[in-house]
Amino acid sequence: MADIEEKLELMERRIRDLEDRMAIQQIIARYGPAVDSCSTEATANLWAADGSYDFGGAPLVGAEAVGKLVDLQTHRAYVARGCLHSMSTPVIEIDGDHAVATGNSRVYLHDGGDWKVERASANRWEFIRTVDGWRVTKRTNRLVDGSEEARVIFASGVDPNGTANPVG
Amino acid sequence: MADIEEKLELMERRIRDLEDRMAIQQIIARYGPAVDSCSTEATANLWAADGSYDFGGAPLVGAEAVGKLVDLQTHRAYVARGCLHSMSTPVIEIDGDHAVATGNSRVYLHDGGDWKVERASANRWEFIRTVDGWRVTKRTNRLVDGSEEARVIFASGVDPNGTANPVG
Amino acid sequence: MADIEEKLELMERRIRDLEDRMAIQQIIARYGPAVDSCSTEATANLWAADGSYDFGGAPLVGAEAVGKLVDLQTHRAYVARGCLHSMSTPVIEIDGDHAVATGNSRVYLHDGGDWKVERASANRWEFIRTVDGWRVTKRTNRLVDGSEEARVIFASGVDPNGTANPVG
């Protein structure tokens, strides 16, 4: 019996790891539909109460402030024209009740007869496990415009001890 | 023993939920390669026999009709030029033998030296669990061109009781 | 007891299948951040020691050679301008210690005020299970520029016994 209990416990841990990964994928998957429909609450609910979103410039601090990004004049103008926020499948590293996901995001903007890629970015998402499930504690987004910052995000996602190689 | 049986049953339910999510992701992942290789049968097989696909205009009704979309003149012309149908990771909600997935899709079209984004859309996929696995009962696709319909799809995916906020 | 052991074994197989799929998704998810940060080792580590990468022309053979693709002049020039390598969620077929994943990839390149789609491709990834986890044994990448080769990759991913339909 002790042997079976042990096996059950090990399997339960493996199931939980899979559930954690699926849950984190789902939070990131929710971001695009939430902001592209200007859903303030659905956007805010992805973040921890004191979580932040830094996309260059002064970060938005607190879930409520993040939710309100859908009311920004630039965002409303995007949505009125027609836009998609799309996220890649992220690299996920889980450490107990914390997790980091690293991937890209793109913003497609309606532009006459087709769509242009208005933004293309590197993203680092940090998460905490709460009683209500995983929540974003910090998201950092940097344009891939040749600057070092985006490369540092990507490098840290695939090689936690490494640094982005110099390019130029 | 009763205790162990109960634990096994609970774990089995958790495994099945993960399998359901993975299976639904896989159906959506199959769509692009199926239509971009003009594979009639592989496309039709994703749908339930009486499932439909509404991408504006008169919906295609029945798996066979959906499979034949790869023979549409517009589709053949895309494929001859070179095109990709790419889907985002969807938000998935499962309720017993039914499920809804909400995400975006983009069509990239070869255009001289590079590719343009020919379509960018909001998608709602509805599924039923059959004896052969999950199948699409209804897919709705609306261009993100600033019109309300795409925002309604996205809003319903992240906030089932909500509505898209007015924009403009 | 025998009955419970059997149930445990069956569940363990189902968990392993989910873990395999998640692991393969993660390898593909790592590719973009690895090459976009010019991380030689993180790129090489995705491949089996004798694995190859064929993106047209002479294939790169061996993990070390694949890792060094980040030092190619064309790649360095992309990264210096700002680029994203983004992969779709692949169709995954697992057969014991071998697996095949089929999906698309796109390269977005900074181009003045926005980003253009510099490459759009069909991808076939072949994997082997090693003592260190899944590794790529062969990746084939073909531009979707209307040529037959990309369609053959997509068709083989959704219908292993089929062939791409003629188009034109």
Side-chain angles (χ1 to χ4, degrees), chain A residues 1 3-4 7-8 11-12 14-15 17-18 21-22 25 88-93 102-106 108 111 116-122 143-147 150-152 154-160 163-168, chain C residues 1 4-5 7-9 11-12 14-16 18-20 22 25-26 29-34 36-42 70-71 76-77 79-90 106 108-110 113-117:
Chain A
M1 286 296 282
D3 180 50
I4 286 179
K7 279 188 188 174
L8 282 172
M11 279 171 52
E12 204 278 336
R14 290 167 68 184
I15 294 172
D17 179 73
L18 289 164
R21 292 173 178 279
M22 196 66 87
Q25 281 185 6
S88 71
T89 303
V91 179
I92 297 176
E93 298 285 352
T102 307
N104 77 55
S105 64
R106 290 142 279 126
Y108 300 86
D111 186 40
K116 65 173 178 171
V117 182
E118 176 75 1
R119 292 176 61 93
S121 307
L143 292 173
V144 289
D145 56 5
S147 64
R151 290 197 295 275
V152 169
F154 282 143
S156 72
V158 292
D159 179 10
T163 51
N165 286 347
V167 172
Chain C
M1 285 298 282
I4 285 179
E5 289 285 0
K7 279 188 188 174
L8 282 171
E9 208 176 295
M11 279 171 53
E12 204 276 337
R14 292 167 67 186
I15 293 172
R16 199 183 331 165
L18 288 163
E19 289 172 338
D20 287 346
M22 196 66 87
Q25 281 186 6
Q26 284 290 292
R30 279 178 181 274
Y31 181 81
D36 292 331
S37 59
C38 291
S39 300
T40 314
E41 206 175 313
V70 305
D71 295 320
R76 289 274 161 166
V79 175
R81 275 178 70 175
C83 78
L84 276 188
H85 287 69
S86 195
M87 314 283 139
S88 71
T89 303
R106 290 143 279 127
Y108 299 87
L109 187 61
H110 196 216
D114 47 41
W115 282 259
K116 67 173 176 171
V117 181

Side-chain angles (χ1 to χ4, degrees), chain A residues 73-137:
Chain A
Q73 173 53 28
T74 46
H75 185 76
R76 289 271 161 168
Y78 276 0
V79 175
R81 276 178 69 174
C83 78
L84 276 188
H85 287 70
S86 195
M87 314 282 137
S88 71
T89 303
V91 179
I92 297 176
E93 298 285 352
I94 299 172
D95 182 12
D97 294 335
H98 293 83
V100 173
T102 307
N104 77 55
S105 64
R106 290 142 279 126
V107 179
Y108 300 86
L109 188 60
H110 195 216
D111 186 40
D114 48 39
W115 282 260
K116 65 173 178 171
V117 182
E118 176 75 1
R119 292 176 61 93
S121 307
N123 286 265
R124 178 184 172 89
W125 303 75
E126 298 176 26
F127 296 90
I128 192 166
R129 189 197 308 268
T130 75
V131 288
D132 300 316
W134 291 94
R135 291 292 182 276
V136 180
T137 52

